[in-house]
Structures are given as C-alpha cells and as structure tokens.
Amino acid sequence: QSVLTQPPSASGTPGRRVTISCSRTSSNIENNAVNWFQQLPRTAPKLLIYNDNQRPSGVPDRFSGSKSGTSASLAISGLQPEDEGDYYCAAWDDSLNGWVFGGGTRLTVL
Amino acid sequence: EVQLVESGGGLVQPGGSLRLSCAASGFTFSLYGMSWVRQAPGRGLEWVSYINSSESTIFYADSVKGRFTISRDNAKDSLYLQMNSLTADDTAVYYCARDTAVDLDYWGQGTLVTVSS
C-alpha cells in the first residue's frame, strides 16, 4: 500500500474542471514537494507539475497543482479529450530514501 | 533537446540476469542524478533505484536490494541497471529518468523486461 493515496478513477466532460487528490499517509514525505506525472495511453510518463504547484515549460496553464496539509491536488480545467490517461503523484520519502508514487488515477473524458 | 533512450530489455528466464542501458543526450549528463522507475503490465509506477552524479550516493527499493546494481559512465553519457536473480515480479517496462532531487523531469520511452520460462 502506497504512502500516497489517489482515487483510482476520475471523469469529466469536455470543457469542465476536474480535480485529482493525493493524500499523504506517512510523515516521511511531510516536508517534501509533490510532483504530478501524466501518462497518456502507450506513452512514457511526463512531468506535469513539480514542487507542489510549478509547471515545467510547455505544460498548459490548464493544469495546476496545490498542496494543503496532508493532501495535494491536481486540477485540470477546460478538459480536453486528449487529457485522457493516467495521472500519478509522487514525492521523495526520507525514510525509504526513494521516490514513492501514488497508485495512479485514470482520467476519463466523457 | 533532452533525450533518454533505454535498451537491453527482453525475455529472460527466472533466475537469469539482464543489463539495461540508458543513453543520455541533450544535457550535461555528469551533472545530474538519475533514477530507474518500472511499471508492471497494467500497474502503476514503482521507483527502483537512484544514483547521484558522482556515483557516491546510491539507493535501491527494498524489492530489488541485493539483486540489482545501478551504475553510470559519465564519459559515455550512459546509465546502467544490472539485474540478477530475476523473478516474474520483475516483469515490467523499465524507464530511466533524469532526477533533479526535486523531480523526475525527463523520462525515456522505456524498455520491456519479461521474466518467464
């Protein structure tokens, strides 16, 4: 069981806003930033959000990240069919000395 | 443009060994840490191992400790993963990723390792 818990699925219609949560269940990542990765079908993961809420160059501002207390969230506004895929949160675990990933959330655009 | 290209995957019998490679280009490889991350078929992402730029710091996931060895050759801009005593649970696509210590900002396309008799 991952120390980062995500809902297994999320959905929304084109143009709407959807949020995906990532809850921390271990103090070992308490002070560490959360990253979000997008994995479209049959492709490698891609960094979407780093340092809780920063977007790498080239990532549309429709994607935003936030963190409060023991939870982080990824918000996608103006949902598009090409956003359909899997989304993972991750953080460095100071006790395991390694990256831990959430179980992933499959986003369906209805 | 940053590029990471994995190779070396394939079919191997249980108990066998395999060495994965990751060729890096488009950035100064010797300045960055690197990680291996794997994804079993139909499953989520699992971090496997980390190596810093000078090879002085290396970490492994408990699931591979004692069986896998990460290394790098900065002169060849290459990252490696030596995998021994493989089991069916090691079947996965293996990705190399540039590790900035804050994030995993670039990933390769992955190489598939299948452990089966």
Side-chain angles (χ1 to χ4, degrees):
Chain A
Q1 188 167 352
S2 176
V3 299
L4 295 173
T5 301
Q6 299 179 235
S9 63
S11 63
T13 53
R16 304 290 287 193
R17 184 176 186 268
V18 66
T19 61
I20 298 171
S21 63
C22 173
S23 297
R24 171 177 61 82
T25 59
S26 166
S27 60
N28 298 330
I29 59 174
E30 181 174 5
N31 297 316
N32 297 332
V34 173
N35 300 316
W36 289 92
F37 299 91
Q38 177 192 59
Q39 188 175 30
L40 301 178
R42 294 171 298 282
T43 68
K46 169 191 167 184
L47 180 65
L48 202 60
I49 297 287
Y50 68 96
N51 204 20
D52 299 333
N53 55 20
Q54 303 297 302
R55 278 187 309 277
S57 173
V59 173
D61 59 7
R62 302 188 296 107
F63 297 91
S64 62
S66 63
K67 191 170 80 173
S68 178
T70 59
S71 256
S73 291
L74 171 71
I76 308 172
S77 59
L79 205 57
Q80 298 179 4
E82 54 264 38
D83 296 332
E84 199 164 85
D86 297 324
Y87 292 80
Y88 296 89
C89 61
W92 182 264
D93 188 308
D94 293 326
S95 176
L96 297 178
N97 277 323
W99 291 97
V100 288
F101 290 90
T105 298
R106 176 148 296 179
L107 174 65
T108 301
V109 181
L110 303 169
Chain B
E1 178 195 4
V2 171
Q3 280 200 318
L4 298 169
V5 180
E6 301 93 338
S7 60
L11 176 63
V12 61
Q13 292 189 336
S17 299
L18 213 53
R19 188 195 195 207
L20 305 183
S21 299
C22 170
S25 61
F27 66 103
T28 305
F29 180 73
S30 61
L31 296 182
Y32 287 87
M34 298 292 294
S35 274
W36 286 98
V37 178
R38 69 184 180 183
Q39 186 171 35
R43 306 293 296 272
L45 301 172
E46 179 190 16
W47 170 81
V48 172
S49 184
Y50 164 82
I51 186 170
N52 74 341
S53 58
S54 63
E55 289 190 276
S56 60
T57 299
I58 287 175
F59 299 127
Y60 296 101
D62 286 344
S63 57
V64 306
K65 203 171 293 183
R67 300 187 301 121
F68 289 13
T69 302
I70 192 172
S71 63
R72 63 190 295 158
D73 186 336
N74 287 341
K76 294 183 177 180
D77 292 342
S78 293
L79 174 73
Y80 306 102
L81 186 68
Q82 177 66 43
M83 305 185 296
N84 298 330
S85 303
L86 287 163
T87 74
D89 288 342
D90 298 314
T91 294
V93 173
Y94 285 74
Y95 298 100
C96 64
R98 193 173 79 169
D99 193 327
T100 69
V102 174
D103 54 48
L104 300 168
D105 63 350
Y106 288 94
W107 297 57
Q109 86 290 346
T111 187
L112 175 62
V113 172
T114 303
V115 183
S116 175
S117 55

